[in-house]
Amino acid sequence: MPEHTVLYVLNGPNLNLLGVREPDIYGHETLADIQALCEAAAGVATVVFRQTNHEGELIDQVHEAREKASALVINAAGYTHTSVALLDALKTLTIPIVECHLSNPAARERFRHRSYVSPVAAGVVSGFGSFSYELAVKAALKLAQERSQSAGRSETTT
Ligand code: DQA
């Protein structure tokens, strides 16, 4: 993995309360614990880890990832199920996007079954608690690596 690989991990509303928020669903680990797991899973890649409770700020962070990231992991939390504006923002990215959830929304209430992130995600990791993030980070970095290798190959053939 090239050392300049930058992975953005974006987190939506209420995830700042992990550890105390519905621990039977979301577990006892805090968002800081999850950040540490992501950093360990990313190895030498740089992890930019953010959380916001505001839709517009999440969209600004997606725009920032568009400029600076090699790949994006996103747990948009409640905005996953509501935000057309987030989908529109994600559509402007060309880097790999991995959707991530602690719980498995497909096994929960019906309103959680729709995702505005999935249509633009390379894949979705959900239902494994904090391990979802580790898997999502690994998947995103693999996709980023494959992408940079295929870009390198096309440079040498043109
Ligand atoms: C979540 C699932 C969403 O349905 C919910 O609104 C969240 C967290 C998860 O990580 O399991 O806030 O994204």
Side-chain angles (χ1 to χ4, degrees), residues 13 15 21 26 75 77-78 80-81 100-103 105 108 112:
L15 293 173
R21 173 195 180 207
Y26 299 117
N75 181 355
T80 305
H81 316 298
C100 174
H101 300 282
L102 295 148
S103 67
R108 298 179 62 193
R112 295 186 202 275

Side-chain angles (χ1 to χ4, degrees), residues 31-109:
L31 197 60
D33 295 332
I34 288 175
Q35 178 171 0
L37 289 173
C38 288
E39 285 165 356
V44 295
T46 299
V47 175
V48 176
F49 193 94
R50 300 261 174 79
Q51 188 275 331
T52 177
N53 293 323
H54 306 279
E55 185 174 13
E57 198 173 319
L58 185 61
I59 288 166
D60 286 342
Q61 291 172 358
V62 168
H63 293 176
E64 192 184 309
R66 181 176 169 272
E67 300 288 329
K68 300 190 178 156
S70 318
L72 171 65
V73 170
I74 183 163
N75 181 355
Y79 291 138
T80 305
H81 316 298
T82 62
S83 182
V84 174
L86 176 63
L87 171 61
D88 288 343
L90 290 169
K91 277 185 174 170
T92 71
L93 272 59
T94 55
I95 57 170
I97 299 168
V98 177
E99 178 178 353
C100 174
H101 300 282
L102 295 148
S103 67
N104 177 4
R108 298 179 62 193
E109 305 95 320

Side-chain angles (χ1 to χ4, degrees), residues 92-139:
T92 71
L93 272 59
T94 55
I95 57 170
I97 299 168
V98 177
E99 178 178 353
C100 174
H101 300 282
L102 295 148
S103 67
N104 177 4
R108 298 179 62 193
E109 305 95 320
R110 213 176 158 74
F111 62 84
R112 295 186 202 275
H113 296 182
R114 160 172 285 185
S115 168
Y116 285 97
V117 176
S118 293
V120 288
V124 183
V125 185
S126 62
F128 302 108
S130 60
F131 190 45
S132 290
Y133 278 81
E134 294 181 69
L135 294 170
V137 164
K138 293 280 184 200

